[in-house]
Amino acid sequence: MPTVTMIGGGQLARMTHQAAIALGQRLRVLAEKPDDPAAQVSPEVVLGSHTDLGALRKAAVGSHALTFDHEHVPTEHLEALVAEGVNVQPPPQALVYAQDKLAMRVKLSELGLPVPAFTPVGSVDDAVRFGDEHGWRIVLKAVRGGYDGRGVWMPESAEEAAAIATDQLAYGVQLLAETKVELKRELSAMVARSPFGQAATWPVVETVQRKGQCAVVIAPAPGLPEDTAAAAETMALNLARELGVVGVMAVELFETVEGELLVNELAMRPHNSGHWGMDGARTGQFEQHLRAVLDYPLGDTAPLAPVTVMANILGAPQAPEMSMDERLHHLFARMPEAKVHLYGKGERQDRKIGHVNILGDDVAEVREKAERAAHWMSHAIWTDGWDPHE
Ligand SMILES: Nc1ncnc2c1ncn2[C@@H]1O[C@H](COP(=O)(O)OP(=O)(O)OP(=O)(O)O)[C@@H](O)[C@H]1O
Ligand SMILES: [Mg+2]
C-alpha cells in the first residue's frame, strides 16, 4: 500500500492522516517540530523545514506522491524534486497559482474569469495611484506567504497606504493592490481532480470570516440561486482542468451585493471551507485528496444532511481555567450530536485549535448550535447562559 508524503505538519496533515489510516496508507509528514499537530500522530515524521531541499528530499524518498498542508514550499525546490522523479501533486506549475496571488490574478484574467481590478505594487506611488483611482476602496496584499488574513491590509487613505507599502517593501515583501469588493458574503467552491482527469465538486458553501479569518462554514450556501451555484462549480472544474490541478482545490469566491461572483484566491490543498465534509459528506476532502493524488477513482461527494455547519474553535483571549478535556465532557453531555475535531494545539487568541460539525435540517438552528458549541470549547462559556446544574 502507498505512502504519501505531506509537507507541513499542521491540522490539515493531521486530518489527512486520519483518512490515510482508513485507506491502509501511510502518511509521512515533514514537520517543523515534534509537537506539530500531525507530528503527534503520524508514524513517520521527518523533522525539518519546507525551505530546506535536503529535508524535502528526505521526506520524499520512496513515497508514492508528495503533497501539501500549506503552499509555502519554494517552486525551485519542487522543480528539483520533480526532476529527480518525485511525484509532486499538485505539480509546481499548478501550485504557483495558489502561492502567488499576483500570478493567480494575471492567469485568471487571461482565462476570462471574474476578478477584482488589480495592479502590482512596486513602490509607494503605485499604491497611492491605485487608491486615488479607486476612491480608497482598495486592499493591499502580500503576493506570497499570507494566511488567515495576515498579509492583507485595507488602507483608507494615501497616508495609510504609504505607511504599509513603505514598511512591507522595506522587508522585501512583494505587494499587489486590488479593489475592495462590496461583499454580500463569501463562498467557496471545492473541487478534486485526479491525474487521470476525473473531477468532482462538493456543494458550494458560505464562509463567514471574522478578523480576516474563517470562523464558520455553512454547507450548502443558504439561498444561493441554483444557476449561480452551478456556475461556481463549473468555474472550479474548468479552472482545475486548465491549471492542471491534482488533489483538492478551494476556489474562494466573493458574492457581490449585485449577486455576481468574483474569484478571491485559490488553495490547492485541503481547506478550512471543506472541513464540514468530514462528517457532512459521503466523501470528505481529506480522503478525496489522497484518492486524487494517488490517481484512484474519486469518491461520492453527496451531502449526508440538508445542512451541515462547521464552526472553528478559535482560541479565547485567555485560555479558560476549565481543561479542554472537561469542556469536551460538558459539550458531549449537552449536545450528543456534535462532532468535534481537535488539533492538539496550544490555546492562543484566535488560533484555530479545532472545529465542530453539526448536521441538521434548519440552517439557523444548526448554525446556532455549531457556533455555541465552538464558543463553549474555546471560552468555557455557554452563550445562552445554560447551566448544567440547574
Ligand atoms: N478585494 C477584497 N475585497 C473585499 N474583501 C477582501 C478582499 N480581499 C480580501 N478580503 C477579505 O480578507 C480576507 C482574507 O483575504 P485573502 O483570502 O486574500 O487572504 P489570506 O490571508 O490568504 O486568506 P486565508 O485566510 O484564506 O488564508 C478575505 O476572506 C476577505 O474577507
Ligand atoms: Mg483567503
Side-chain angles (χ1 to χ4, degrees):
M1 293 303 291
T3 293
V4 173
T5 296
M6 193 165 247
I7 304 305
Q11 63 262 24
L12 302 176
R14 181 181 170 109
M15 292 184 275
T16 305
H17 178 246
Q18 281 180 272
I21 293 170
L23 300 179
Q25 304 168 1
R26 293 174 78 84
L27 190 79
R28 184 188 299 158
V29 298
L30 176 64
E32 303 254 346
K33 297 190 275 13
D35 65 345
D36 282 350
Q40 294 170 23
V41 298
S42 168
E44 284 191 54
V45 181
V46 176
L47 288 176
S49 166
H50 58 271
T51 57
D52 172 2
L53 183 55
L56 291 165
R57 282 196 179 112
K58 196 168 156 198
V61 172
S63 90
H64 295 71
L66 179 142
T67 189
F68 308 95
D69 150 289
H70 60 72
E71 43 260 324
H72 306 313
V73 184
T75 303
E76 61 271 22
H77 288 357
L78 295 177
E79 281 167 351
L81 293 174
V82 171
E84 291 161 16
V86 178
N87 181 28
V88 177
Q89 301 292 5
Q93 65 274 19
L95 187 67
V96 72
Y97 300 111
Q99 296 177 308
D100 184 311
K101 287 180 177 170
L102 186 57
M104 178 271 294
R105 286 267 174 269
V106 170
K107 180 72 174 177
L108 266 54
S109 317
E110 282 169 12
L111 293 172
L113 293 174
V115 294
F118 68 97
T119 187
V121 170
S123 68
V124 169
D125 281 355
D126 289 344
V128 172
R129 194 174 324 114
F130 190 81
D132 283 339
E133 269 169 34
H134 295 278
W136 290 100
R137 292 198 49 85
I138 69 160
V139 183
L140 286 175
K141 290 187 176 183
V143 167
R144 279 179 177 257
Y147 67 99
D148 289 345
R150 276 162 259 200
V152 174
W153 302 269
M154 300 194 179
E156 288 172 358
S157 67
E159 294 70 44
E160 275 181 49
I164 296 161
T166 306
D167 271 8
Q168 296 302 320
L169 294 170
Y171 295 140
V173 175
Q174 232 192 311
L175 295 174
L176 68 82
E178 63 188 34
T179 49
K180 186 168 164 184
V181 177
E182 267 208 73
L183 296 178
K184 182 166 161 203
R185 58 178 171 174
E186 293 183 65
L187 304 171
S188 171
M190 267 208 109
V191 59
R193 183 175 175 276
S194 69
F196 178 75
Q198 195 191 7
T201 54
W202 285 268
V204 176
V205 301
E206 175 175 344
T207 65
V208 180
Q209 337 293 320
R210 292 188 189 126
K211 297 191 209 164
Q213 77 170 353
C214 177
V216 176
V217 172
I218 308 163
L224 189 68
E226 232 173 86
D227 54 340
T228 313
E233 288 188 42
T234 304
M235 191 199 297
L237 287 165
N238 289 341
L239 248 181
R241 195 191 55 238
E242 291 278 351
L243 303 180
V245 175
V246 169
V248 296
M249 172 171 73
V251 183
E252 294 183 11
L253 297 163
F254 296 140
E255 188 182 4
T256 69
V257 286
E258 290 88 26
E260 277 172 345
L261 298 184
L262 298 178
V263 178
N264 175 27
E265 62 165 346
L266 309 176
M268 291 180 202
R269 51 165 170 77
H271 188 254
N272 202 165
S273 68
H275 291 359
W276 69 274
M278 293 176 87
D279 302 297
R282 185 138 320 171
T283 308
Q285 63 171 347
F286 299 102
E287 175 175 341
Q288 197 79 307
H289 188 66
L290 288 168
R291 286 163 78 139
V293 301
L294 291 167
D295 211 6
Y296 284 96
L298 300 179
D300 178 0
T301 54
L304 300 178
V307 186
T308 301
V309 176
M310 187 275 339
N312 278 338
I313 302 172
L314 299 168
Q318 243 194 318
E321 251 166 59
M322 188 189 290
S323 73
M324 185 65 91
D325 177 48
E326 198 179 345
R327 281 173 255 164
L328 194 55
H329 274 269
H330 281 281
L331 175 68
F332 286 161
R334 184 174 181 190
M335 293 187 197
E337 70 277 37
K339 303 307 290 182
V340 178
H341 303 269
L342 294 173
Y343 307 155
K345 286 161 89 172
E347 295 179 70
R348 262 197 267 122
Q349 183 165 18
D350 295 331
R351 192 179 197 204
K352 292 175 180 171
I353 53 179
H355 68 269
V356 179
N357 283 333
I358 308 258
L359 281 66
D361 297 307
D362 180 77
V363 181
E365 205 177 285
V366 175
R367 178 172 178 179
E368 195 175 295
K369 253 191 215 168
E371 292 211 52
R372 180 166 295 142
H375 193 273
W376 166 259
M377 287 304 293
S378 49
H379 292 75
I381 293 168
W382 290 113
T383 47
D384 59 350
W386 191 69
D387 179 353
H389 304 298
E390 258 171 28

